[in-house]
DNA sequence: CCTTATACTGGTCACCATGACCACAAAGGA
DNA sequence: TCCTTTGTGGTCATGGTGACCAGTATAAGG
């Protein structure tokens, strides 16, 4: 019971910060300037301070490295990664977190790290280019994307990806980008409006160029979807 | 980036091991013999060895403390708890795991710890008796039970709670115990049998006293339920 | 100015899963 | 031999969904 046979371990947090950019699910990454994995892209994160809670550390690191000062309305724990050799320097246990923000909450400027930018998730995960991810961050990113895909099925968290006010097409675009499918506009509308508290009508409408103007909505008080939004096969 | 400002942290695993005993959802607990929290009940667990993976540590601790040698067919990570003052001795980060076993896989004998026994989950969580739980293990247990409740909705993991061969009544009892509801036998049967690969028919049947004998089944190859098993309101 | 393309809105219809039942079968116990 | 109990098989109404169609409201183009 006494930790005499335990090696020193480092405790870190990493954040999978997702958004929708140009109709694509995107993730914030930081280019590493030092070894190991210098030049590779890593999830924003870092060591947890003494007496600091995990979610506090996640928010602080996001602020320091990427100046995303936006109060993250949703930050949840994703999973913990502790494979002994995942960091060549020492044993490091990383508690990964998952967060959603609307498109372009801030232009990722004034960053502490060498460089921070948004990457399209599938480009980073399945792109043929020689993009290199640090540590086991590819696995973490895979788990984060999968968690996001299932979370928007049975919660209203998809609305965290859009700025208020938004149209039902905006919200539908979130589902289509995260799931990688096309949804029928009419059926999607019926589903969202039949869920009490998912969105609230503002009465106003907006035209974005071609097509009939769409009614504008805001996020409603509901947090769960019963029954869930069904994800099409492919 | 360099961990110079980090305090030493201890890394532990804790396991929420659930089963069904006497038609009640039950959890394996260990009585602590030493301070802190001597005399309180704790989840089985302990420190992770150097170069040891988290799930290996969880299996080893379960073996050491409770002699549950059964190869756990399902052991999943639950969540990580790292509140700075959760252990009065030092900062300890605990990665909680969740596992399901059939009723009475072994009588919890030859235990390393002072005492290990099964507790009915609701008795431990909401009982009026003066049962004391160590550390933040009440919160971990709450999260584990909630995870189990939702997991059996959309996976076939409920079958991990029964010994083969089993009747549909046995499987239904799992859902009723975990969810705390009553299910219609006929509708439950239709749902299970209409899900390909949930269970496989053995052709044999068994009589357990009163009532018509029930057909015996084994676990099928399916792992997911589409659509999910619906949990009644209350 | 009129036509066309585009996209949001509103509706119908068939299908499927489900909940609430009902009836029968097959065992044990009084 | 009832009678109770429990598993099995079925019907029926309801609600959510996918597929589809029609109408409306805007911008772009001739």
């Amino acid at each position: 019971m006494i930790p005499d046979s335990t090696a020193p371990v480092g405790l870190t947090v990493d954040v999978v910060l997702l958004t929708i950019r140009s109709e694509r699910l995107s993730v914030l990454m930081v280019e590493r300037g030092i070894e190991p994995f210098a030049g590779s892209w890593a999830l924003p994160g870092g060591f947890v301070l003494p007496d600091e809670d995990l979610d506090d550390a996640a928010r602080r690191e996001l602020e320091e490295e990427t100046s995303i000062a936006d109060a993250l309305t949703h930050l949840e724990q994703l999973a913990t990664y502790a494979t002994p050799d995942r960091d060549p320097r020492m044993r490091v246990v990383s508690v990964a977190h998952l967060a959603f923000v609307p498109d372009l909450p801030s232009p990722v400027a004034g960053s502490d790290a060498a460089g921070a930018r948004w990457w399209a998730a599938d480009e980073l995960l399945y792109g043929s280019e020689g993009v290199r991810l640090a540590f086991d961050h590819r696995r973490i990113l895979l788990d984060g994307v999968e968690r996001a895909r299932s979370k928007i099925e049975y919660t209203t968290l998809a609305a965290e990806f859009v700025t208020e006010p938004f149209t039902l097409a905006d919200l539908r675009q979130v589902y289509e980008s995260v799931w990688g499918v096309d949804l029928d506009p009419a059926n999607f509308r019926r589903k969202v409006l039949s869920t009490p508290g998912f969105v609230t009508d503002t009465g106003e409408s907006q035209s974005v160029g071609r097509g009939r103007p769409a009614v504008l909505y805001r996020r409603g008080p509901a947090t769960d979807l019963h029954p869930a939004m069904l994800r099409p096969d492919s």
Side-chain angles (χ1 to χ4, degrees), chain A residues 170-231:
Chain A
D170 295 330
L171 187 59
R172 177 165 45 87
Q173 181 62 55
V174 172
Y175 280 93
E176 293 179 333
S177 296
V178 176
W179 285 347
V181 297
D182 285 333
L183 298 179
D184 182 88
N187 290 338
F188 179 81
R189 168 193 162 82
R190 179 182 57 190
K191 174 65 180 175
V192 172
L193 295 185
S194 70
T195 302
F198 195 170
V199 297
T200 60
D201 197 325
T202 65
E204 304 175 6
S205 61
Q206 151 191 304
S207 75
V208 288
R210 56 192 174 285
R212 175 176 172 176
V215 178
L216 292 170
Y217 297 86
R218 295 184 179 279
R219 294 187 263 272
T223 59
D224 292 271
L225 260 50
H226 296 302
M229 182 89 60
L230 292 187
R231 169 161 36 162

Side-chain angles (χ1 to χ4, degrees), chain A residues 2 8 26 40 45 48 113-114 116 120 124-125 132 138 150 153 171 176 183 195 200 206-207 212 229:
Chain A
I2 302 176
S26 304
S40 293
V48 179
L124 205 56
L125 289 171
R132 292 151 78 113
R138 182 171 194 276
S150 58
E153 287 184 29
L171 187 59
E176 293 179 333
L183 298 179
T195 302
T200 60
Q206 151 191 304
S207 75
R212 175 176 172 176
M229 182 89 60

Side-chain angles (χ1 to χ4, degrees), chain A residues 2 7 15-16 20 28 33-34 69 94 104 108 113 119 131-132 141 166 173-174 179 181 184 193 195 205 226:
Chain A
I2 302 176
V15 183
V16 178
I20 307 288
L28 187 71
I34 60 171
S94 176
L104 295 177
V108 188
W119 280 88
V131 188
R132 292 151 78 113
L141 181 53
F166 54 88
Q173 181 62 55
V174 172
W179 285 347
V181 297
D184 182 88
L193 295 185
T195 302
S205 61
H226 296 302

Side-chain angles (χ1 to χ4, degrees), chain A residues 27-144:
Chain A
V27 58
L28 187 71
M29 303 295 289
V30 177
E31 190 173 18
R32 284 183 61 84
I34 60 171
E35 293 293 342
F37 293 101
S40 293
W41 293 87
L43 296 167
F47 284 91
V48 179
L49 300 179
D51 301 322
E52 187 181 36
D53 245 321
L54 292 179
D55 53 340
D56 292 334
R59 285 193 168 82
R60 176 181 55 77
E61 288 290 344
L62 219 48
E63 167 72 18
E64 286 179 10
E65 292 197 0
T66 66
S67 72
I68 301 248
D70 312 74
L72 294 182
T73 48
H74 283 278
L75 177 71
E76 63 176 63
Q77 197 184 103
L78 176 59
T80 297
Y81 302 82
T83 306
D85 59 352
R86 62 182 293 277
D87 191 315
R89 295 167 294 182
M90 63 180 290
R91 174 142 204 189
V92 174
V93 175
S94 176
V95 182
H97 288 68
L98 180 65
F100 305 147
V101 288
D103 187 8
L104 295 177
S106 64
V108 188
S111 300
D112 179 23
R117 56 159 287 198
W118 294 103
W119 280 88
D122 49 2
E123 185 181 355
L124 205 56
L125 289 171
Y126 310 108
S128 56
E129 327 166 27
V131 188
R132 292 151 78 113
L133 294 189
F135 306 105
D136 51 0
H137 287 192
R138 182 171 194 276
R139 164 107 314 264
I140 300 177
L141 181 53
L142 279 170
D143 293 344

